[in-house]
Amino acid sequence: MSTIFWNSLRITPALLGASLLVAGNTYAAEIAPEEAATNTISEVTSTVEPTTEALTLLPETTAESTSTSESAVLEASTESLTPIQVSPSFDLADSTLAQQLPASGNTNQVLEQIESYSEPLNEETNSEPQLTSITELRDVSPGDWAYDALRELVEDYKCLVGYPDRTFRGNRPTSRYEFAAGLRACLDRIQELIAAGGVVTEEDLEKLRTLIQQFDAELAVLGTRVDNLDARVAYLEDHQFSTTTKLKGEVIFAIADAFGEETAVASPGGTDGDDNDFDVNTIFANRVRLNFETSFTGRDKLRTRLQARNMTQFDENVTGTRMTRLSFDDTNDNDFEIGELWYRFPIGESIMVQVDATEAEFQDTVINVVNPLFASSGSGAISRFGRFNPIYRVRDGAGAAITFDLGEFAELSAGYIADESSDPNPSEGLFNGTYKALGQLTLKPTDFLTIAGTYAHSYYRGGRVRIAGDTGSGFANFPFADFVNGGNAATSSNEYGIQANLKFGKFSVGGWVGYQNVILEETGVFTSNGDLIARGTDRDIWNWSANIGIVDVGSKGSKLGFIFGMPPRARGSELPSGVNRDSDTSYHIEGLYNYKLSKNISITPGVLVILNPEHNDNNDTIFVGTIRTVFKF
């Protein structure tokens, strides 16, 4: 079965080629609503019947031509125009167009059409509040040829705003529709001035009438777009699930397999060739996450996650080691349960807080783990170890995290998570049971470099020990396993980490080093040789990793990644040499390609190789492969 699976991995390029056809169909489906909207706009435009001179006066997109035409219009002689009689009810841009509400059975098309309208608006027109002085525009100076015109629009008529960064970008090409949008804003402002008894000169009104005639078609289409958008928004508001909550989902389909000669055993030791034969079959499994994200103020977020999965862990029960675990594994027999429940909110402009009620993990809080390309279990590394430094790992529980923004170049973070916070029994609860407290200073000296220094202190009561977060050897996870009485003795740990990531263009280079000094907190614990381990005995656990990522490979948003490192390794203790510690060194080698078929679908073939599993060079190399397909909605 393993041979079949790995042969299938060899033909992955062909599969990706076929997936391009799927991507083409998916993309065509995505743009169909936009084409329909364009056709609708064309039909509306054709009913306006503007004069040939009006439609040809301004070219479509050329900045130079547009500027010239605008000047020609604004400076046109007004002697031949009929005087305008102005009254408070006069509407300079009145256009009556048909409106049609969407049919109730066409909700998906409505959503897609609204998205096609709203995305360009969000990108181009998300501006600051109304300007009060032309000096607020950073890229406009008195020497500009249109300075006086801009000053009048900003200061006299107050119908011009800049981009969010307080720029006007006067050299940027503009279309007739964009010019019509600005004209419409000034028309509305002049109507307000007329209604309020403000002063509007006859000359200005004549110029505006000329512009209205020239842009009659564009103003009509602009009004139709706004009217249609309002109608669709009203429809969605009447049929939406909630006014404050959005549903987001992620579904993973995964094929996975592992193979080798024999399963791994702890060091010191070796394989006997008979009792540890490797016998793993190819699996097909899934993970489903439904996130209900609620905002009450627009700056906060309440997340409730429902999760179901049946992904078997490739751990010591399958391969003999936790080093082969995948990033998205674990199982609850596909029963839905609460996977996350937290509330995130700001305090002022510089502080962000997150409170987790259950299933808390530091990598899912406001703390930056500094591994942007590989931290995600759905689109990042295929291995558990490759996602981030294991010192961030903690037994799931409840807690809180906070991040202080120290300015443009630094932030300070802290967090606390308790494993059994809801249990009032002795040696449990919010402060008396298993917990981890963490602090971190993150530096961003440039836009492309991030460095973080992390310290954590943890305590694991007996039976709840997972020092290395299920990523390294058995001795790294259970450094003081009691081989006489059974179980894992209570342990504390002081942990230190340095993480860094460097981005330049489409390339990213990152990695980390982690060190944990663990201390036995119980008496009466015995080694595998039957020796008593004194309370206070310590042990050192090290791990490190380096990674390289390249984005937009093959398609926009896709990424190619390579990870190399040493999973957590237990060494250096006061125990006799070779007792309860790793004698050799394992190496983690990982390659993956996350290919985006569309905005909502991606496929990731990946291979994981573990040399000297369990830090024992008597063990055979173990290979793990997977094809992870992710659907997002």
Side-chain angles (χ1 to χ4, degrees):
M1 184 64 69
S2 297
T3 302
I4 295 174
F5 176 75
W6 285 98
N7 284 336
S8 69
L9 281 182
R10 293 173 60 187
I11 65 171
T12 294
L15 293 175
L16 290 176
S19 68
L20 288 173
L21 297 177
V22 178
N25 294 334
T26 303
Y27 177 71
E30 289 178 348
I31 66 172
E34 297 182 7
E35 293 176 348
T38 302
N39 293 335
T40 301
I41 292 170
S42 299
E43 294 173 2
V44 174
T45 304
S46 65
T47 65
V48 178
E49 299 182 356
T51 65
T52 302
E53 295 176 349
L55 291 177
T56 59
L57 180 60
L58 294 182
E60 284 294 324
T61 59
T62 306
E64 180 179 356
S65 301
T66 302
S67 300
T68 303
S69 300
E70 291 170 13
S71 300
V73 172
L74 293 174
E75 296 174 3
S77 173
T78 62
E79 295 179 358
S80 61
L81 295 177
T82 303
I84 301 172
Q85 299 299 323
V86 179
S87 67
S89 62
F90 179 70
D91 191 344
L92 290 169
D94 183 32
S95 296
T96 304
L97 298 167
Q99 299 182 17
Q100 182 178 357
L101 287 175
S104 59
N106 202 22
T107 304
N108 290 335
Q109 184 177 2
V110 171
L111 287 168
E112 292 170 351
Q113 289 179 350
I114 283 189
E115 184 175 2
S116 70
Y117 281 121
S118 62
E119 285 181 354
L121 291 175
N122 289 338
E123 293 174 1
E124 298 294 341
T125 64
N126 195 17
S127 60
E128 292 288 319
Q130 174 62 50
L131 301 175
T132 58
S133 173
I134 189 63
T135 59
E136 296 180 45
L137 293 173
R138 296 187 292 108
D139 59 344
V140 175
S141 62
D144 294 332
W145 68 269
Y147 180 81
D148 291 336
L150 292 175
R151 181 180 54 77
E152 289 183 9
L153 292 174
V154 171
E155 299 178 2
D156 296 344
Y157 292 102
K158 295 182 172 55
C159 61
L160 181 68
V161 294
Y163 285 89
D165 59 354
R166 290 298 186 183
T167 61
F168 181 67
R169 305 180 193 177
N171 294 324
R172 173 185 173 275
T174 184
S175 69
R176 290 177 65 91
Y177 288 120
E178 290 174 314
F179 184 78
L183 175 60
R184 183 59 180 266
C186 290
L187 293 175
D188 293 340
R189 175 57 181 162
I190 288 176
Q191 288 186 93
E192 293 177 4
L193 292 175
I194 293 172
V199 178
V200 179
T201 66
E202 188 72 17
E203 182 182 0
D204 288 340
L205 292 176
E206 290 177 355
K207 290 180 180 180
L208 286 172
R209 172 54 65 87
T210 302
L211 288 172
I212 291 171
Q213 293 174 350
Q214 297 289 347
F215 286 89
D216 191 29
E218 287 78 5
L219 288 171
V221 173
L222 182 64
T224 302
R225 285 182 170 180
V226 174
D227 292 340
N228 288 344
L229 183 59
D230 288 342
R232 288 171 170 82
V233 170
Y235 173 83
L236 290 178
E237 288 178 346
D238 292 339
H239 294 79
Q240 64 184 328
F241 166 74
S242 170
T243 59
T244 58
T245 302
K246 295 181 180 180
L247 171 63
K248 296 182 179 180
E250 179 190 78
V251 176
I252 294 179
F253 287 173
I255 299 175
D257 199 357
F259 71 92
E261 294 298 325
E262 297 175 331
T263 58
V265 297
S267 62
T271 56
D272 57 18
D274 296 321
D275 298 332
N276 300 304
D277 289 341
F278 209 95
D279 186 16
V280 179
N281 291 316
T282 303
I283 66 171
F284 176 71
N286 67 83
R287 186 184 76 183
V288 179
R289 287 177 169 178
L290 300 177
N291 294 334
F292 295 88
E293 298 187 349
T294 303
S295 180
F296 304 102
T297 66
R299 300 179 62 200
D300 62 340
K301 181 187 292 186
L302 172 66
R303 171 179 287 181
T304 304
R305 170 179 289 174
L306 300 181
Q307 180 170 257
R309 51 190 173 175
N310 67 348
M311 187 73 198
T312 301
Q313 297 180 11
F314 283 2
D315 56 15
E316 69 275 17
N317 297 316
V318 177
T319 64
T321 178
R322 289 176 171 80
M323 297 179 183
T324 51
R325 285 193 60 180
L326 296 172
S327 61
F328 49 90
D329 66 12
D330 215 345
T331 180
N332 60 357
D333 296 324
N334 265 340
D335 292 329
F336 273 101
E337 61 184 13
I338 298 294
E340 285 185 5
L341 182 59
W342 50 257
Y343 181 58
R344 181 180 299 174
F345 58 94
I347 299 178
E349 298 297 326
S350 303
I351 301 176
M352 185 65 69
V353 180
Q354 179 172 317
V355 179
D356 290 74
T358 186
E359 303 296 323
E361 296 180 287
F362 285 120
Q363 73 271 12
D364 291 326
T365 66
V366 293
I367 297 175
N368 186 358
V369 298
V370 196
N371 200 23
L373 290 187
F374 302 105
S376 170
S377 62
S379 61
I382 64 166
S383 70
R384 184 175 176 88
F385 172 67
R387 293 180 61 193
F388 44 80
N389 195 330
I391 70 170
Y392 292 106
R393 297 279 183 186
V394 63
R395 296 196 70 101
D396 301 343
I402 184 171
T403 292
F404 300 84
D405 187 351
L406 302 180
E408 185 178 356
F409 304 113
E411 63 183 26
L412 184 64
S413 303
Y416 177 89
I417 295 177
D419 176 29
E420 300 160 310
S421 61
S422 62
D423 195 330
N425 291 320
S427 300
E428 296 173 4
L430 187 60
F431 300 108
N432 292 328
T434 298
Y435 71 89
K436 176 175 281 191
L438 181 146
Q440 176 172 295
L441 176 63
T442 304
L443 302 177
K444 301 177 181 179
T446 67
D447 291 337
F448 51 85
L449 176 62
T450 303
I451 303 173
T454 309
Y455 169 75
H457 177 78
S458 59
Y459 172 81
Y460 299 85
R461 72 174 181 84
R464 303 292 292 177
V465 180
R466 287 290 190 282
I467 295 294
D470 281 344
T471 60
S473 67
F475 289 142
N477 281 282
F478 315 109
F480 300 111
D482 192 335
F483 286 87
V484 175
N485 301 313
N488 302 295
T491 306
S492 65
S493 176
N494 293 299
E495 308 173 14
Y496 309 85
I498 297 176
Q499 299 75 230
N501 182 262
L502 176 65
K503 294 185 294 184
F504 44 97
K506 296 184 177 181
F507 292 85
S508 173
V509 178
W512 68 78
V513 175
Y515 167 69
Q516 298 165 289
N517 178 251
V518 296
I519 303 170
L520 177 63
E521 300 291 351
E522 283 189 27
T523 60
V525 179
F526 295 87
T527 68
S528 56
N529 293 340
D531 298 324
L532 180 65
I533 306 176
R535 180 175 182 176
T537 298
D538 72 336
R539 163 155 295 164
D540 297 327
I541 300 173
W542 287 88
N543 82 89
W544 56 267
S545 178
N547 58 65
I548 298 175
I550 309 173
V551 299
D552 296 338
V553 179
S555 68
K556 186 174 179 58
S558 298
K559 58 187 172 186
L560 179 67
F562 302 95
I563 303 171
F564 179 74
M566 183 189 75
R569 174 175 178 251
R571 296 284 289 177
S573 73
E574 300 168 5
L575 299 176
S577 176
V579 177
N580 287 36
R581 67 178 181 180
D582 299 314
S583 57
D584 302 308
T585 302
S586 299
Y587 293 104
H588 173 112
I589 305 173
E590 179 178 345
L592 61 103
Y593 176 49
N594 176 246
Y595 179 73
K596 291 187 72 69
L597 295 173
S598 69
K599 182 174 63 175
N600 303 103
I601 305 174
S602 66
I603 181 171
T604 306
V607 178
L608 170 63
V609 180
I610 303 297
L611 305 179
N612 307 323
E614 286 295 294
H615 299 292
N616 181 358
D617 59 12
N618 290 319
N619 287 326
D620 295 309
T621 299
I622 298 178
F623 301 84
V624 178
T626 185
I627 299 177
R628 176 185 62 197
T629 303
V630 179
F631 307 88
K632 291 185 177 182
F633 56 90

